[in-house]
Amino acid sequence: IQNLRLINFGGELAENYYIVNEAVKGKILPLNVSLLATGTKVYDGTQYSVKHQQKTAANEYITFLLKTNSSDVGTYMGTNLAFESQAASSALTNYALNLDATSKVEITKAKHNFVFKNKVVTFNGKQHQIVATHNGEEISNDLNGVADIQYTYTQNGLPISSSLPVNAGIYRVTVVVTSDKNFEDYTA
């Protein structure tokens, strides 16, 4: 404003208004602010959507909601992210906001929460199976995140001859779960 030879003029909002003197015009432009944010979350079936705050060169804070365009595991960079300002629209007239291309969000693989319980049965000539459960339900290929599940049984360190135990004895069961892209593989 000093270079415009104006006296006793002032203002705080950059609402694209002009300051007019007989011979000179001036315009206050919004301050360009490149929002930079990073974040990480474990896959839970929802998109990353977290509030961030950034200080501007004018020593004010801009609060914004950073979002991914998917809920799947992966690394999302600036062009695959979106933001929503959380500031009042009157405060935003001073700023031209954009998301920095180096902003990054990572959604990491979730771990399965399987439960195994020992099983004791009396010999009856039939096959018996120990299965893993998740939230009280037997895990299968239909469970979210499970691509394949394989059980193997051993007795005295050797694989048994049938697919499931029949005869009296102590057996060890191993389960191998191959997961989809959003979960870690699992072996127990």
Side-chain angles (χ1 to χ4, degrees):
I1 292 181
Q2 291 174 345
N3 294 340
L4 299 176
R5 294 175 287 169
L6 301 174
I7 300 171
N8 296 326
F9 285 89
E12 295 179 355
L13 293 178
E15 295 176 325
N16 297 327
Y17 62 86
Y18 288 92
I19 301 171
V20 181
N21 188 329
E22 293 174 16
V24 182
K25 290 183 180 179
K27 183 177 183 179
I28 298 174
L29 298 173
L31 175 65
N32 287 321
V33 176
S34 185
L35 302 172
L36 176 61
T38 59
T40 302
K41 79 173 241 172
V42 175
Y43 173 81
D44 64 1
T46 64
Q47 294 174 305
Y48 178 93
S49 182
V50 175
K51 279 187 182 181
H52 291 266
Q53 197 172 55
Q54 182 170 322
K55 191 174 184 179
T56 70
N59 290 323
E60 292 183 309
Y61 286 92
I62 302 264
T63 302
F64 60 100
L65 190 65
L66 185 66
K67 296 179 173 185
T68 57
N69 60 2
S70 173
S71 63
D72 287 333
V73 166
T75 300
Y76 299 86
M77 297 299 288
T79 56
N80 293 318
L81 297 171
F83 75 95
E84 294 174 10
S85 173
Q86 302 291 295
S89 59
S90 61
L92 292 178
T93 57
N94 287 327
Y95 302 102
L97 304 177
N98 63 67
L99 190 61
D100 190 296
T102 62
S103 290
K104 176 180 167 181
V105 170
E106 186 171 2
I107 299 177
T108 60
K109 290 185 175 193
K111 293 182 180 181
H112 289 289
N113 185 21
F114 299 137
V115 176
F116 292 92
K117 292 184 180 176
N118 290 333
K119 184 175 184 179
V120 177
V121 296
T122 302
F123 173 76
N124 60 7
K126 296 180 181 178
Q127 294 181 328
H128 296 279
Q129 180 178 14
I130 292 180
V131 294
T133 60
H134 176 66
N135 293 332
E137 295 182 29
E138 180 180 323
I139 62 171
S140 66
N141 290 349
D142 297 331
L143 180 67
N144 181 33
V146 174
D148 184 49
I149 182 168
Q150 297 292 319
Y151 291 94
T152 56
Y153 296 86
T154 57
Q155 187 176 36
N156 300 321
L158 300 172
I160 62 170
S161 59
S162 62
S163 61
L164 294 172
V166 175
N167 298 316
I170 297 174
Y171 297 87
R172 177 174 174 81
V173 61
T174 301
V175 63
V176 176
V177 176
T178 304
S179 300
D180 70 10
K181 64 183 174 183
N182 292 316
F183 287 85
E184 293 181 6
D185 289 341
Y186 180 87
T187 301

